[in-house]
């Protein structure tokens, strides 16, 4: 029954930076491993980054490794995605979701509306 709201997306030039936020409410936020996913036009949703419930471990897709940083603040019930050196290929709708560690798959339930990130060249 956790409710997630993504924000922080927008239009940015290639090479620029953007920070996304995901605010959670409902169930105890700190109980969940969290992840970011994205979906580009006409493509399937794909995994981007994950962080364990305590924040001690993170994991990234190869396409964003070294450029994106996931973090969380359990006191604020918020997870972040700091995006640097953005490329046009990063253009997508970004979603956050509770997830299973190891398989890096999202938990069941509905997805939020996400936040649009558009990178111009």
């Amino acid at each position: 029954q956790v409710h997630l709201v993504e924000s922080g997306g927008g239009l940015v030039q290639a090479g620029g930076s953007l920070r996304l936020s995901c605010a959670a409410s409902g169930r105890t936020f700190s109980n969940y491993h969290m992840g970011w996913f994205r979906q580009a036009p006409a493509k399937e949703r794909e995994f981007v980054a994950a962080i364990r419930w305590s924040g001690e471990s993170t994991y990234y897709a190869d396409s964003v490794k070294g450029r994106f940083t996931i973090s969380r603040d359990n006191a604020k019930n918020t997870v972040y995605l700091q995006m640097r050196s953005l490329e046009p290929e990063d253009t997508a709708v970004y979603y956050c979701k509770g997830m299973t560690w190891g398989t890096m798959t999202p938990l069941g339930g509905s997805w939020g509306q996400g936040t649009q990130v558009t990178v111009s060249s």
Side-chain angles (χ1 to χ4, degrees), residues 55-88:
E56 84 278 8
S57 297
T58 58
Y59 187 80
Y60 301 91
D62 289 340
S63 59
V64 306
K65 192 175 301 180
R67 299 188 297 118
F68 291 8
T69 302
I70 187 172
S71 62
R72 69 190 300 163
D73 187 338
N74 288 342
K76 296 181 178 180
N77 288 348
T78 303
V79 61
Y80 305 95
L81 185 67
Q82 180 66 56
M83 311 163 72
R84 298 179 295 273
S85 300
L86 284 164
E87 306 167 352

Side-chain angles (χ1 to χ4, degrees), residues 24-104:
S25 63
R27 298 184 184 275
T28 303
F29 177 73
S30 60
N31 287 346
Y32 296 89
H33 308 305
M34 296 294 296
W36 285 95
F37 300 79
R38 68 185 182 186
Q39 186 170 26
K43 294 185 178 180
E44 297 294 319
R45 185 180 288 113
E46 66 175 347
F47 168 78
V48 175
I51 186 167
R52 291 179 65 87
W53 68 270
S54 61
E56 84 278 8
S57 297
T58 58
Y59 187 80
Y60 301 91
D62 289 340
S63 59
V64 306
K65 192 175 301 180
R67 299 188 297 118
F68 291 8
T69 302
I70 187 172
S71 62
R72 69 190 300 163
D73 187 338
N74 288 342
K76 296 181 178 180
N77 288 348
T78 303
V79 61
Y80 305 95
L81 185 67
Q82 180 66 56
M83 311 163 72
R84 298 179 295 273
S85 300
L86 284 164
E87 306 167 352
E89 292 74 19
D90 296 317
T91 295
V93 178
Y94 285 71
Y95 304 87
C96 65
K97 197 88 164 62
M99 62 182 297
T100 299
W101 195 261
T103 61
M104 306 306 177

Side-chain angles (χ1 to χ4, degrees), residues 3-9 20-24 34-37 45 79 93-97 110-116:
H3 179 64
L4 304 171
V5 179
E6 302 92 341
S7 63
L20 308 183
S21 297
C22 173
M34 296 294 296
W36 285 95
F37 300 79
R45 185 180 288 113
V79 61
V93 178
Y94 285 71
Y95 304 87
C96 65
K97 197 88 164 62
S110 62
W111 294 79
Q113 294 187 4
T115 185
Q116 175 73 51

